[in-house]
Amino acid sequence: MSGNEVITQELCKDFDMKDGEMREFEVQGQSVLLVRNNGVFSAVGNKCSHYGAPLSKGVLVGDRVRCPWHGACFNVRNGDIEEFPGLDSLPCFKITVENGSVYIVTSKKALESTKRIKSMSSRCAGDRSTVVIIGTGPSALVCAETLRQEDYKGRIVLVTREKHVPYDRTKLSKAMNAKAVEIYLRSTEFYKEHDLEVWTEKEAVSVNTDEARVKFTDGSFLQYSQLLIATGSRLRPDLHRYPPDGDYVMPDPGRHGRLFPAAIADQ
């Protein structure tokens, strides 16, 4: 079977599900979430785009399903992510009802895709505006992506004093032997494709709101049309260590990688 070949499979009878009910079905070895709401059936991928939790174990309220693990929320009509954590939307599948039976109409390729990135615009040379985002955590990245999804075509610059593009900080303690690139929220190619500039190892020291510009430690400036400060919290310097008799706070991908051999040696 080719990846684009149409698959039609009966999931259930229309009377098998009540309004406000959702169920998990397996289609060609992939998990699909079927929802009935106000007499209308819809289907999306069953794995949360954040960490892969089964959404069938979550909570359905109207047209929104909430992930049971971390609370990400998705629209079951179109699969769009509406509340975070997580960046990606869910794949959405066509549902038909014929002679009392509920069918899914899709393809193998569509079923194998567990995540979907919303359509995004790119920068237009004629748009001279600039949005500067100080910080590169999830909130900063969501802002940048949302601007492109809403067809903003000006310049977008994310600035961080760290050496890395936006990454999943929670994985520093969950995957201690992971390489930095393995916990990046987006690939470096993603930023190029959507014209998102990421300035690393660039620390902002002041903002002049009258002149609409940011000053950096190296003495350079960046003019902005709109500014978002999303630096998040900062770790206490005295915890950037590996004490034999205390806790260790993961500061960044580089130093967290050096902790793993020491942790193994202590076991």
Side-chain angles (χ1 to χ4, degrees):
M1 177 183 293
S2 67
N4 293 320
E5 185 176 340
V6 176
I7 297 171
T8 302
Q9 179 176 316
E10 182 180 0
L11 300 179
C12 64
K13 301 297 183 183
D14 61 356
F15 54 77
D16 288 335
M17 293 179 61
K18 301 177 181 178
D19 268 352
E21 185 179 354
M22 60 180 179
R23 289 188 190 179
E24 176 187 6
F25 291 90
E26 183 175 304
V27 181
Q28 297 289 312
Q30 303 298 324
S31 183
V32 171
L33 182 70
L34 181 66
V35 177
R36 180 171 183 170
N37 193 34
N38 294 324
V40 178
F41 288 92
S42 57
V44 294
N46 189 45
K47 291 184 178 181
C48 178
S49 63
H50 183 219
Y51 274 7
L55 295 175
S56 56
K57 303 295 184 182
V59 177
L60 177 68
V61 179
D63 287 331
R64 307 174 86 207
V65 59
R66 188 172 297 278
C67 175
W69 288 2
H70 304 106
C73 195
F74 302 89
N75 188 308
V76 296
R77 296 276 185 167
N78 53 27
D80 283 356
I81 186 167
E82 295 187 345
E83 290 186 27
F84 308 93
L87 296 170
D88 297 314
S89 298
L90 303 173
C92 187
F93 307 107
K94 180 180 178 181
I95 295 294
T96 62
V97 179
E98 299 177 13
N99 300 321
S101 294
V102 181
Y103 296 91
I104 183 173
V105 182
T106 183
S107 67
K108 184 177 181 180
K109 183 178 180 180
L111 287 168
E112 291 175 347
S113 176
T114 58
K115 299 179 181 181
R116 175 176 58 82
I117 298 176
K118 291 182 181 180
S119 177
M120 298 171 65
S121 64
S122 297
R123 185 182 177 188
C124 176
D127 191 330
R128 305 302 297 272
S129 64
T130 299
V131 173
V132 175
I133 304 173
I134 302 177
T136 53
S139 60
L141 182 55
V142 166
C143 175
E145 292 194 19
T146 302
L147 285 169
R148 287 287 186 246
Q149 290 164 5
E150 295 297 322
D151 205 32
Y152 174 69
K153 296 182 179 179
R155 185 184 184 193
I156 299 176
V157 184
L158 296 99
V159 184
T160 178
R161 64 178 184 173
E162 298 197 49
K163 296 180 180 180
H164 304 278
V165 298
Y167 61 88
D168 189 344
R169 186 177 291 275
T170 63
K171 288 186 178 178
L172 293 178
S173 60
K174 294 179 173 64
M176 294 175 61
N177 61 338
K179 297 178 181 179
V181 68
E182 295 173 345
I183 62 173
Y184 286 172
L185 292 171
R186 296 295 194 197
S187 67
T188 53
E189 291 75 17
F190 176 88
Y191 300 101
K192 295 177 182 178
E193 180 182 354
H194 300 292
D195 293 322
L196 302 174
E197 298 179 44
V198 182
W199 291 10
T200 58
E201 298 183 90
K202 195 86 167 175
E203 184 173 2
V205 292
S206 65
V207 175
N208 187 324
T209 56
D210 292 330
E211 299 179 3
R213 66 177 186 170
V214 181
K215 181 180 179 181
F216 301 97
T217 51
D218 60 6
S220 63
F221 294 87
L222 178 60
Q223 207 78 25
Y224 65 83
S225 305
Q226 298 291 332
L227 174 69
L228 171 67
I229 299 177
T231 53
S233 58
R234 177 178 295 183
L235 300 177
R236 289 168 50 190
D238 60 320
L239 291 179
H240 289 188
R241 52 192 169 85
Y242 175 60
D245 56 349
D247 296 325
Y248 181 90
V249 178
M250 302 294 186
D252 60 54
R255 281 178 284 181
H256 116 282
R258 295 198 295 271
L259 174 64
F260 182 67
I264 295 298
D266 282 352
Q267 292 183 358

